[in-house]
Amino acid sequence: MTAALSISRLTKTYASGLQALKDVDLEIPRGEIFALLGPNGAGKTTLINIVCGIVTPSGGRVLADGYDVLRQYRAARRLIGLVPQELSTDMFETVRHTVQYSRELFGCRRDPALLERLLRDLSLWDKRNDRIMTLSGGMKRRVMIAKALAHEPRILFLDEPTAGVDVELRRDMWQLVRGLREREVTIVLTTHYIEEAEEMADRVGVINHGSLILVEEKRRLMKQLGRKELTLHLSEPLRAIPEALSDWRLTLSADGTEIQYRFDSVSEHSDIPALLRRIGELGIGFKDLNTRQSSLEEIFVGLVGRRAAASAERDVALSTEER
Amino acid sequence: MSRGAASRGAMSGGAVSEGVATAGASPATDALPFNARGVAAIYKFEMARFRRTLLQSLVAPIVSTALYFVVFGSAIGSRISTVHGVSYGAFIVPGLLMLSVLTESLANASFGIYMPKFTGTIYELLSAPVSSLEIVLGYVGAAVSKSLLLGALILGTASLFVPIRVLHPAWMIAFLVLTSASFSLCGFILGVWARSFEQLQFAPMLVVTPLTFLGGAFYSIDMLPHAWRTVTLFNPIVYLISGFRWSFYGSADVALGVSVASTGAFLALCLALIVWIFRTGYRLKN
């Protein structure tokens, strides 16, 4: 089966010399929700802009549903919708006209029924004859989404779609994305809100300094890289961790009322039952316990941080060798 | 056709247009190698902008032209009897028309493409299945339409002040269309090049308007001293105005063939530049 998006050896070097993308390979199957995470300037938007035809790549190849985005750009672009990061709209146009314009620009016939459904789904129907300049930021963001969906794309790029929007719109957006997934629309999402990726994505890609450093199924990623934390709320405060518990890496809270045990969920053998037995044998009572798994945000920060540290180490080693 | 079939159509070595014909997710999407709806969408969008700014786009140039007639036609014209056998008031009509058409073509087309760059909506144009030719057709087509409409209205306004005759109407229309098309293309290039409103105003204010004033809009270059006449011949606007005036009164400063060739050469130069812009993505895609 043809992938919705197939990117191979994609590179982009801007005229300024900035290498925004370095040999990026990525395959996204149809109907998947893929979250692309990365710090500012990592290359997320450049990647999206190349796929959508806004930026010319320096090298590599991108296929959208099997169509080359450069050589078969008409067929490829018909399939792609983009909600850009910035609120870029024609302020003097009405909501209805601007969405209609987007549909016709993509070569589609007018479809008043579809337009109405789209505007109703996005709570824009009552505002259809209003000029965009009169709308709130959240409403403008909805207009951007309506424009991107006006030609019924099969692949939708959402570049920071909920940046600066209220909770209500964010929830509406998540609902909309789930609805699109039911219709087998492939969605590529970039976001700074990790909980958004955690909530919606099937797979997660992490990009940093133009390189795709990781692509993994979200659940597996959290399982593999997620840290777990066990907290015991003690009945009586302790002064120090007893020597008999030195087999486990435990920490005691400042007030001595909580013992914390951090462990990797897969790589480290936790043996929690043995720990609890030993605590019981030592006569340490606890009134409650809870476990917590690290969020995607913590995983992401950890990954990027580790890469940065490794890169810094390499630089130090190189400069030492040079000397 | 199913999406699977769509993919097979494209994968089996069919022409790109075949892929286009089947790739759309919606049955409502026709797929022709030429995106006529896309062109029409850009054209209608630009014309809607024109309608929103009628005061600036239409009324202001007409009022300016009327003022030129009052000042040049009545005040100065009363001291000049005829030029090439035509009353001075009537003589300046082609020049004035050309002045308005040139500046409006340039301004409309440059503003048309500069605004999406300025507001950021250019992303939609670049990510849509429209070719560079279709984008140019949409923007330049709209700019030419506006200029022709303006030209017709100015001609109508002029006829209220002076009696006008057009000896070669077909040539007059041809010159008007060619000139507005060339300068709209030139405006499009300017709009792509400009990075600020100041740069956008640079060519119309500091290049085209002075060249038009010095290009025989209000006088025949035969009236100039020999040395200045030679200098003036380096001004490309001279050829446009001369040819256009010939279509009205049958008299010209330079031969008709030279005027037609100059206009054609300017059009070809602008087209070549636009092809280069889209091939390289100059100031659009990088």
Side-chain angles (χ1 to χ4, degrees):
Chain A
M1 185 169 139
T2 314
L5 204 62
S6 178
I7 297 172
S8 51
R9 307 210 64 186
L10 191 64
T11 58
K12 175 65 190 176
T13 306
Y14 286 103
S16 63
L18 173 78
Q19 202 175 357
L21 292 177
K22 301 166 189 167
D23 273 340
V24 171
D25 291 299
L26 179 64
E27 194 122 323
I28 300 177
R30 283 184 189 155
E32 183 175 83
I33 300 180
F34 185 85
L36 189 61
L37 309 180
N40 285 331
K44 303 187 294 288
T45 301
T46 299
L47 179 67
I48 289 177
N49 284 347
I50 288 176
V51 177
C52 294
I54 298 165
V55 168
T56 311
S58 305
R61 194 173 190 216
V62 180
L63 302 178
D65 216 3
Y67 295 107
D68 189 309
V69 298
L70 290 179
R71 288 189 302 111
Q72 297 165 295
Y73 71 95
R74 282 188 200 273
R77 290 183 196 172
R78 277 249 162 102
L79 301 172
I80 298 172
L82 167 67
V83 181
Q85 212 175 107
E86 306 292 332
L87 282 174
S88 311
T89 51
D90 292 296
M91 294 297 165
F92 300 103
E93 283 289 330
T94 63
V95 171
R96 193 159 54 96
H97 282 143
T98 197
V99 178
Q100 190 71 59
Y101 167 77
S102 298
R103 183 169 169 81
E104 290 177 22
L105 192 62
F106 277 74
C108 303
R109 259 184 236 122
R110 281 191 175 198
D111 187 341
L114 179 128
L115 184 75
E116 182 175 341
R117 197 171 65 237
L118 191 59
L119 295 184
R120 283 192 190 281
D121 282 352
L122 288 158
S123 310
L124 284 168
W125 182 245
D126 293 342
K127 305 273 183 191
R128 63 190 180 281
N129 294 319
D130 289 4
R131 283 188 175 191
I132 295 169
M133 65 196 295
T134 64
L135 303 181
S136 66
M139 281 293 173
K140 283 179 190 152
R141 181 67 70 183
R142 286 172 200 261
V143 173
M144 302 291 294
I145 298 165
K147 281 170 78 68
L149 294 175
H151 65 284
E152 301 161 274
R154 304 300 309 165
I155 304 168
L156 181 66
F157 284 92
L158 297 166
D159 196 1
E160 308 275 357
T162 54
V165 303
D166 58 25
V167 178
E168 189 193 358
L169 176 55
R170 191 172 299 176
R171 284 196 185 134
D172 283 358
M173 178 87 76
W174 291 359
Q175 200 175 339
L176 179 90
V177 168
R178 285 191 199 100
L180 290 169
R181 188 229 287 266
E182 279 166 22
R183 298 209 292 271
E184 290 197 349
V185 174
T186 308
I187 293 163
V188 180
L189 168 83
T190 76
T191 180
H192 276 299
Y193 301 109
I194 312 276
E195 72 271 21
E196 201 158 75
E198 209 169 328
E199 173 79 23
M200 290 193 289
D202 299 312
R203 279 196 309 157
V204 173
V206 178
I207 191 168
N208 196 25
H209 297 305
S211 298
L212 202 55
I213 58 177
L214 177 121
V215 175
E216 190 58 272
E217 214 177 288
K218 180 188 69 186
R219 287 201 187 104
R220 195 178 297 169
L221 179 68
M222 293 195 64
K223 207 172 167 187
Q224 283 179 357
L225 297 174
R227 293 184 69 83
K228 275 195 169 176
E229 192 176 271
L230 168 73
T231 306
L232 295 172
H233 302 273
L234 305 177
S235 309
E236 299 291 333
L238 283 180
R239 285 192 173 187
I241 300 283
E243 186 60 36
L245 295 176
S246 59
D247 285 353
W248 294 271
R249 287 186 296 167
L250 303 179
T251 53
L252 187 67
S253 63
D255 60 1
T257 59
E258 284 178 9
I259 289 178
Q260 281 177 337
Y261 174 39
R262 290 196 182 91
F263 55 97
D264 283 344
S265 55
V266 171
S267 60
E268 200 172 303
H269 182 59
S270 60
D271 202 8
I272 289 173
L275 170 66
L276 295 178
R277 267 199 308 276
R278 198 62 199 259
I279 285 176
E281 287 163 11
L282 293 169
I284 301 170
F286 57 92
K287 53 189 179 192
D288 197 7
L289 65 84
N290 59 54
T291 60
R292 191 181 76 85
Q293 186 158 22
S294 52
S295 69
L296 203 50
E297 182 164 15
E298 288 163 327
I299 296 169
F300 166 65
V301 169
L303 264 173
V304 173
R306 275 204 291 276
R307 294 271 166 164
S311 168
E313 272 175 28
R314 262 200 314 277
D315 290 347
V316 170
L318 279 172
S319 63
T320 312
E321 273 175 27
E322 277 169 13
R323 269 187 234 134
Chain B
M1 183 181 279
S2 73
R3 287 174 48 70
S7 301
R8 282 194 298 278
M11 292 295 119
S12 60
V16 172
S17 58
E18 189 188 342
V20 176
T22 54
S26 159
T29 55
D30 295 340
L32 298 166
F34 183 78
N35 184 354
R37 283 197 193 98
V39 176
I42 298 170
Y43 181 87
K44 282 188 288 184
F45 179 88
E46 279 299 292
M47 293 310 280
R49 190 169 63 83
F50 178 64
R51 281 195 296 275
R52 279 200 303 267
T53 56
L54 274 185
L55 207 66
Q56 178 198 327
S57 327
L58 219 56
V59 179
I62 290 171
V63 170
S64 302
T65 309
L67 287 172
Y68 279 124
F69 276 114
V70 171
V71 176
F72 286 92
S74 304
I76 298 173
S78 59
R79 292 167 186 270
I80 302 171
S81 53
T82 59
V83 183
H84 293 310
V86 181
S87 74
Y88 183 71
F91 177 83
I92 63 171
V93 170
L96 274 178
L97 232 155
M98 209 44 112
L99 175 68
S100 295
V101 167
L102 291 184
T103 47
E104 286 305 309
S105 299
L106 205 65
N108 278 319
S110 61
F111 205 75
I113 189 66
Y114 179 75
M115 277 311 280
K117 278 175 58 189
F118 180 72
T119 58
T121 54
I122 190 89
Y123 85 88
E124 193 171 28
L125 207 56
L126 296 176
S127 62
V130 282
S131 67
S132 41
L133 172 72
E134 288 155 5
I135 292 174
V136 171
L137 271 177
Y139 279 105
V140 171
V144 169
S145 302
K146 294 174 205 175
S147 296
L148 292 179
L149 180 63
L150 181 70
L153 285 171
I154 287 178
L155 202 59
T157 310
S159 67
L160 299 175
F161 292 88
V162 287
I164 295 168
R165 60 193 163 96
V166 183
L167 284 180
H168 309 285
W171 275 106
M172 191 269 279
I173 292 168
F175 262 111
L176 208 54
V177 171
L178 266 176
T179 307
S180 51
S182 320
F183 277 80
S184 296
L185 286 171
C186 182
F188 190 88
I189 295 165
L190 178 69
V192 170
W193 168 79
R195 282 190 164 140
S196 64
F197 280 100
E198 195 185 16
Q199 287 184 345
L200 197 66
Q201 294 296 325
F202 169 77
M205 301 279 284
L206 294 174
V207 180
V208 175
T209 305
L211 284 180
T212 312
F213 272 83
L214 298 170
F218 300 104
Y219 54 85
S220 164
I221 60 169
D222 288 342
M223 294 159 83
L224 298 172
H226 183 72
W228 277 112
R229 189 175 184 277
T230 309
V231 171
T232 304
L233 288 174
F234 287 97
N235 178 355
I237 308 287
V238 165
Y239 302 93
L240 295 179
I241 293 177
S242 172
F244 195 50
R245 188 170 282 137
W246 172 86
S247 71
F248 276 74
Y249 308 120
S251 63
D253 289 328
V254 289
L256 175 69
V258 179
S259 287
V260 174
S262 311
T263 314
F266 184 58
L267 185 74
L269 177 71
C270 291
L271 279 172
L273 270 171
I274 283 176
V275 168
W276 175 80
I277 283 172
F278 279 102
R279 279 211 178 137
T280 58
Y282 173 77
R283 293 202 177 174
L284 281 178
K285 288 202 169 197
N286 287 299

